Amino acid sequence: MQLDDLYRRVIMDHYKNPRNRGTLNEEAVTVNLNNPTCGDRISLQLELKDGIVQQARFTGEGCSISLSSASMMTDAVRGKTLDEALGMADKFSSLMKGDEVDFEEYEDLEALSGVNKFPARIKCATLAWNALRKGIETKS
C-alpha cells in the first residue's frame, strides 16, 4: 500500500467515524467559524481548566478534509496545555505550507500533508485549527 493510499484511508476514517463529534455544556468556550468559499462550517467547543484542554468537541458540516481535520485536532489537543495546543496549531500551519513536520504525539495529522498541494483546500484543513486558536485566545 502506498503512503497516499494510507493517508486517504486515515482521512476517510476520521470523516466517516469522527472523533469527538458533539457538544459540551454551556460553560464551554464556543467558537463558530465558516469558510465561505466552500461552505464548511464548524462549531468548536473547548472545556479548559487550569490551562489544560480537558475536552474538545465539534459539530458542523463540510467536506472530508474539513471534518477529518476537526476530528483529528480535537483528539490531538485533549490533555494538552494551552501552549502545547497552540504549538500544535503552529506545526499544523507549517505542514500546510509544505514543511516537513513530525507529529509524534498524534501521527494521524500527517495524513493531511498532501492538502498543501491544493491551495483551495488549505482553508478547509485549517478551519478547526483557526477555531482552536480563537478559542484559546478568548480564554487567555
Side-chain angles (χ1 to χ4, degrees):
M1 180 185 313
Q2 292 186 349
L3 192 57
D4 284 346
D5 290 335
L6 176 64
Y7 283 173
R8 210 172 348 265
R9 287 182 187 203
V10 170
I11 291 168
M12 291 311 293
D13 179 51
H14 277 274
Y15 177 63
K16 291 179 179 178
N17 306 295
R19 283 54 155 191
N20 307 303
R21 190 169 185 117
T23 57
L24 296 170
N25 63 40
E26 62 276 348
E27 295 174 12
V29 174
T30 302
V31 177
N32 297 302
L33 289 183
N34 69 348
N35 179 355
T37 58
C38 68
D40 294 340
R41 292 182 307 107
I42 187 168
S43 178
L44 176 68
Q45 289 192 301
L46 301 168
E47 181 185 321
L48 307 174
K49 184 176 179 186
D50 299 326
I52 295 175
V53 179
Q54 301 292 322
Q55 288 288 332
R57 296 205 185 272
F58 76 98
T59 59
E61 297 174 358
C63 67
S64 61
I65 298 296
S66 176
L67 296 181
S68 62
S69 182
S71 173
M72 291 177 199
M73 184 274 295
T74 55
D75 248 4
V77 300
R78 192 178 35 227
K80 302 287 187 213
T81 67
L82 300 184
D83 286 341
E84 289 170 333
L86 288 173
M88 289 185 81
D90 290 342
K91 282 174 77 171
F92 191 78
S93 290
S94 294
L95 182 72
M96 291 298 103
K97 292 176 186 169
D99 297 342
E100 280 287 320
V101 177
D102 182 21
F103 285 101
E104 62 278 345
E105 63 272 349
Y106 194 78
E107 293 178 352
D108 280 9
L109 290 168
E110 294 172 25
L112 293 166
S113 62
V115 171
N116 66 36
K117 297 173 188 160
F118 307 96
R121 302 306 299 260
I122 291 173
K123 286 184 179 181
C124 302
T126 57
L127 185 63
W129 294 92
N130 291 337
L132 172 71
R133 276 196 180 101
K134 189 174 180 181
I136 291 174
E137 288 169 4
T138 62
K139 199 63 175 169
S140 299

